Structures are given as structure tokens and as C-alpha cells.
Amino acid sequence: MELKSLAGTGFETLSEAFAEAFADYEVRIDGSQLRRMLLRRGFVPELSFAAFEEGRIVAFTLNGIGNYDGILTAYDTGTGTIETYRGQGLATRIFEHSIPHLKRANVSRYLLEVLQHNTKAVSIYQKRVD
């Protein structure tokens, strides 16, 4: 398992991983919607990270970077794990891996949103701030 940034990762590869990770999610986003969402949210591949297994993305965190209230902020625009890799702590490992990179880029705040009834995601995100 290799953790690395998404710099140089093609959109098709990212889109396939996104679709697979969210295949059982209540909200569906196709490739063109994903592309628009990433553009709108300021997606920065160099500051977004994934776990790769044999060259395949199996978990990821897509970060948008922007200036909010005068503070350079990362916005978690999508964190997902392919079903067969869930429960291994990959989302937490990716987030921990990203922190030094975000700090070097002078990002000082991290925002995210989650559906409150998605208890697995809420649990992961609570670990991030505890």
C-alpha cells in the first residue's frame, strides 16, 4: 500500500475510484458532475492524497484549497474508500499523511461536511479532531 498525492493522476482514474467508493452511497455523482464539483470547490491534486494498491486507488481524500475569512483553508471535497478496503483505517492514514503537506503549503484550517446519519464517516472525522 502506497500513500501519495494525486498529482499526475488522470481524471478518469480518479473518477473510477470515486464512483466505486460511492457506489453504495445515497447520492450519486457521474463523471461530468464530479469534474464540475472539483472545479467549483478548488480541487488541488498536489494537496489531495490516496492509498494505492498495485497502482489502483483504493481510498482517497480530495482537498479543495481556498482563502476563507482570510485564512488559507483545505476543504475535504470527498473522502472515500472502496468497499473491500473499508475498516482498515485508510481514511485516517491518508489524513495523517496529508497534514505535513498541507502545513508546508501554509494551510492552517481544515473544513469538511458529512451527513450526520453516516455514522461511520462521522466516527472517522471525529478521530481527526480529537
Side-chain angles (χ1 to χ4, degrees):
M1 188 83 52
E2 180 183 15
L3 301 181
K4 63 181 185 177
S5 95
L6 289 169
T9 301
F11 179 77
E12 190 64 34
T13 300
L14 180 57
S15 181
E16 288 172 11
F18 192 93
E20 191 172 351
F22 289 99
D24 58 349
Y25 198 62
E26 63 192 79
V27 179
R28 302 266 193 246
I29 297 176
D30 67 26
S32 63
Q33 291 169 317
L34 176 62
R35 187 180 299 276
R36 285 191 307 272
M37 179 184 78
L38 294 177
L39 182 63
R40 184 176 66 249
R41 294 182 176 179
F43 172 64
V44 176
E46 297 78 11
L47 294 176
S48 298
F49 301 89
F52 289 80
E53 182 82 311
E54 298 177 10
R56 176 180 175 225
I57 297 173
V58 297
F60 56 84
T61 295
L62 311 177
N63 290 315
I65 306 297
N67 192 318
Y68 299 97
D69 296 328
I71 300 170
L72 192 59
T73 303
Y75 175 70
D76 182 338
T77 197
T79 292
T81 303
I82 292 172
E83 186 175 16
T84 56
Y85 289 85
R86 292 178 187 162
Q88 298 178 28
L90 291 176
T92 299
R93 286 179 52 201
I94 291 168
F95 181 72
E96 290 170 350
H97 176 82
S98 72
I99 291 171
H101 298 278
L102 293 168
K103 285 183 178 179
R104 275 194 298 279
N106 296 316
V107 172
S108 57
R109 180 169 49 187
Y110 197 88
L111 299 175
L112 58 92
E113 59 185 292
V114 63
L115 299 173
Q116 290 300 303
H117 64 275
N118 186 346
T119 56
K120 288 182 182 181
V122 170
S123 173
I124 290 167
Y125 297 139
Q126 284 175 332
K127 288 178 189 175
R128 291 180 175 187
V129 296
D130 290 344

